[in-house]
Amino acid sequence: MVNTSAADNGSAQSSLRTRQLDRLSTSTLDVFVIGGGINGAVSAAALANGGLQVGLAERNDFASFTSQESSNLVWGGFKYLQNYEIPLVFKLCRSRNRLLDAYPTAVSEIRFLATLDESAPFPSWLAALGAVGYWGIGGLATKPPRYYRPGAIKKAEPVVRTESASAGIEYADAYMKDNDARFVWSFIRSALDAGAAVANYLTVTSTHFDPETELWTIDLHDEVDGQDLQTRARAIINGAGPFADVMNQNLKVRTDHRIVYSKGIHLVVPRLFDTERVLAFFDDTQRLFYVIPMAHRSVIGTTDT
């Protein structure tokens, strides 16, 4: 048996990164992707696997910002039915179904149990009708919804207080069993395996487009050793997430749309129940909240600011 030390692992990782930086600085790429969150990672993986020469730079760690701070849910937007946003729900459900089909080991079905009492904005029969409608909008791709009387809720989830409950509605959506950052990394790994030149802790400092050669020159700064390097590409994909508008300004690109910021706030507490099920409830302002299992924790939310 051979023991591999942490120093050996670190050396191997450093060697891999050095090779990636060398490839970036010596290649003319078809596409250069800015950002190593989910949008940049998927773009790089799809294009590299399509046979293009691809480079990607992420200024921090992969999935280090928005893409590691989600609830891990892959859902069709059940609560949007309350505002009759049916086209949006249809699109979200279709995307959820595609992810369930494409990544069965990473994305799995999960049940939601909503308890209804006097704080609910609608009667239980209407919620049941909405759950059936949601199932139908989702193409019947998940297990069908169920209706619970208060006693059955208590039996299914003893942690739920049912003294004032009128009924419970259970329906299905999906979630990432591992977590969001690991899901992003799977696309980074796919891009690397397909030949993409990928590096993190690499900041884009400036860009310049030459109309004669039709090439972008991208100036990069290595945050690890402080060195500067350049790469060239025929096209750039701005996958900078919430920083996309700032990056567009740096690229001198004008777009018709702008980012609208919304921050979801969750409370993370010790695990409240053992089952892999999401609990839903309404607060006294009739806002819908979820209690989501996440490893040894429960995540309660969301509110938007």
Side-chain angles (χ1 to χ4, degrees):
M1 182 180 292
V2 177
N3 292 323
T4 303
S5 68
D8 291 336
N9 287 333
S11 177
Q13 293 171 3
S14 176
S15 176
L16 172 62
R17 187 173 185 276
T18 299
R19 292 197 301 272
Q20 299 300 307
L21 294 176
D22 288 343
R23 289 184 57 210
L24 283 171
S25 61
T26 58
S27 301
T28 297
L29 305 167
D30 293 312
V31 181
F32 182 77
V33 181
I34 302 172
I38 187 61
N39 293 315
V42 167
S43 298
L47 294 171
N49 281 279
L52 297 182
Q53 294 295 313
V54 178
L56 180 146
E58 162 58 46
R59 68 178 180 180
N60 295 302
D61 207 349
F62 301 118
S64 61
F65 199 67
T66 307
S67 294
Q68 72 153 357
E69 296 178 346
S70 78
S71 63
N72 290 342
L73 295 179
V74 181
W75 68 310
F78 180 80
K79 69 179 182 180
Y80 296 141
L81 289 178
Q82 189 174 348
N83 297 324
Y84 306 105
E85 298 179 76
I86 294 176
L88 173 60
V89 174
F90 175 77
K91 292 178 181 178
L92 291 173
C93 284
R94 184 171 60 179
S95 297
R96 177 203 64 194
N97 295 346
R98 288 176 176 172
L99 288 170
L100 279 167
D101 291 339
Y103 307 102
T105 61
V107 181
S108 298
E109 186 173 316
I110 191 170
R111 304 292 284 181
F112 284 62
L113 176 58
T115 301
L116 306 171
D117 57 18
E118 67 274 3
S119 64
F122 35 71
S124 60
W125 66 265
L126 184 58
L129 184 62
V132 173
Y134 184 63
W135 182 48
I137 292 171
L140 313 182
T142 60
K143 293 178 182 178
R146 291 184 59 187
Y147 182 89
Y148 284 84
R149 297 190 181 280
I153 298 173
K154 196 67 177 178
K155 186 176 181 180
E157 287 294 350
V159 72
V160 178
R161 297 182 60 179
T162 58
E163 294 88 344
S164 60
S166 58
I169 306 298
E170 187 179 68
Y171 62 94
D173 256 315
Y175 80 126
M176 288 176 280
K177 291 185 291 186
D178 248 345
N179 61 46
D180 42 15
R182 287 181 181 269
F183 190 61
V184 172
W185 168 248
S186 69
F187 292 102
I188 296 292
R189 182 74 259 180
S190 175
L192 282 166
D193 291 344
V198 176
N200 55 2
Y201 295 95
L202 192 61
T203 300
V204 175
T205 56
S206 65
T207 59
H208 172 73
F209 181 72
D210 185 345
E212 293 186 5
T213 61
E214 296 186 339
L215 290 175
W216 287 91
T217 298
I218 302 105
D219 295 313
L220 303 163
H221 179 73
D222 187 349
E223 302 293 344
V224 175
D225 61 16
Q227 299 297 311
D228 294 320
L229 61 148
Q230 279 187 341
T231 191
R232 297 196 302 170
R234 296 179 178 85
I236 293 177
I237 289 179
N238 180 357
F243 309 103
D245 287 340
V246 174
M247 185 55 63
N248 278 338
Q249 293 176 6
N250 294 339
L251 294 170
K252 297 180 175 59
V253 172
R254 300 180 63 88
T255 60
D256 293 333
H257 302 285
R258 299 288 185 273
I259 297 293
V260 176
Y261 298 101
S262 176
K263 181 188 292 184
I265 305 300
H266 292 78
L267 299 178
V268 181
V269 300
R271 187 72 178 256
L272 298 176
F273 50 94
D274 295 329
T275 57
E276 289 296 317
R277 178 191 275 130
V278 178
L279 302 184
F281 64 95
F282 291 92
D283 68 2
D284 53 10
T285 67
Q286 298 188 337
R287 180 179 177 86
L288 184 60
F289 281 82
Y290 296 104
V291 184
I292 306 163
M294 190 177 291
H296 60 292
R297 303 293 184 188
S298 291
V299 179
I300 305 171
T302 178
T303 61
D304 295 328
T305 60

